[in-house]
Amino acid sequence: MFIGIRPPAHVREALIDTMEALEGARWQDDEQLHLTMRFAGEVERETANDLAAALASIALPPFELELEGVSQFERKGMPTAIWARVRPAPELERLRAKTERACALAGLGGETRRFTPHITIARLNNHTGPIVDWLTHNSGLRANWQVDGFSLFESHLLASGAQYEVAVHYPLQGTESRTNS
């Protein structure tokens, strides 16, 4: 399971428009495009229910996010993924912190990885061609959207790749809650 934000159609279309001219890349499909705020991992049903309930107590107003360019993740000097950079925003950080507290309330351990807001576009391997030209060509990627909710997703690993299913969607509305701030 993971907690994430699914961008609207116009943002996903902008991301899909970048998915070309890179031999050997395993492009994400439309259903896989999301911003992960917190990975929860494999959890028992009771923990998943506790997490869903804790997330339901989060109250924040909708806010704006912006894509600004592309980048890569590397492991041992080899690129492993290309992604669209999501401009850091105080509202996103507040939502991420609240989801982290919800995970703690559900009994999940604390996140140890640094949060880098992004949307993965493709997975790469040692058969992927050079990515410099692709990164340069898509460096001007820009798209804005209003975040009006977030979701708890279930991930199903299939032979064709990961399939994501929204378990619970949480709309953002109103003002910040003082009980879960």
Side-chain angles (χ1 to χ4, degrees):
M1 298 193 95
F2 64 92
I3 304 158
I5 297 171
R6 181 121 161 95
H10 77 277
V11 174
R12 297 190 319 267
E13 288 169 12
L15 293 167
I16 289 167
D17 286 348
T18 70
M19 297 180 184
E20 61 185 11
L22 188 54
E23 188 175 327
R26 245 186 22 224
W27 300 108
Q28 301 291 87
D29 65 29
D30 181 73
E31 295 301 315
Q32 294 173 311
L33 296 173
H34 67 276
L35 184 162
T36 301
M37 290 186 300
R38 175 63 150 79
F39 182 71
E42 286 190 43
V43 296
E44 298 293 325
R45 178 61 52 200
E46 184 178 336
T47 302
N49 290 339
D50 290 346
L51 178 57
L55 290 169
S57 70
I58 294 176
L60 283 172
F63 58 91
E64 291 285 321
L65 280 183
E66 177 184 0
L67 294 182
E68 60 171 14
V70 294
S71 191
Q72 67 180 357
F73 284 129
E74 291 183 0
R75 184 176 299 128
K76 296 180 181 178
M78 294 295 296
T80 58
I82 51 178
W83 45 275
R85 184 179 300 111
V86 176
R87 169 181 248 149
E91 299 87 351
L92 177 61
E93 186 53 38
R94 269 195 292 286
L95 179 57
R96 194 208 57 78
K98 287 175 180 275
T99 60
E100 186 63 39
R101 280 191 287 285
C103 288
L105 287 171
L108 299 174
E111 177 61 71
T112 58
R113 294 171 289 190
R114 190 177 121 240
F115 179 60
T116 302
H118 71 280
I119 299 173
T120 300
I121 298 171
R123 309 268 180 213
L124 310 176
N125 59 38
N126 27 348
H127 300 297
T128 305
I131 65 170
V132 173
D133 288 344
W134 186 93
L135 290 170
T136 301
H137 179 75
N138 291 288
S139 64
L141 176 66
R142 299 285 184 276
N144 293 24
W145 82 95
Q146 171 105 358
V147 176
D148 57 8
F150 65 99
S151 298
L152 178 60
F153 289 88
E154 288 186 62
S155 178
H156 306 283
L157 296 178
L158 308 173
S160 59
Q163 178 183 1
Y164 305 132
E165 176 184 352
V166 173
V168 184
H169 180 73
Y170 303 94
L172 295 178
Q173 54 194 355
T175 58
E176 240 178 286
S177 167
R178 296 196 188 278
T179 59
N180 192 24
S181 55

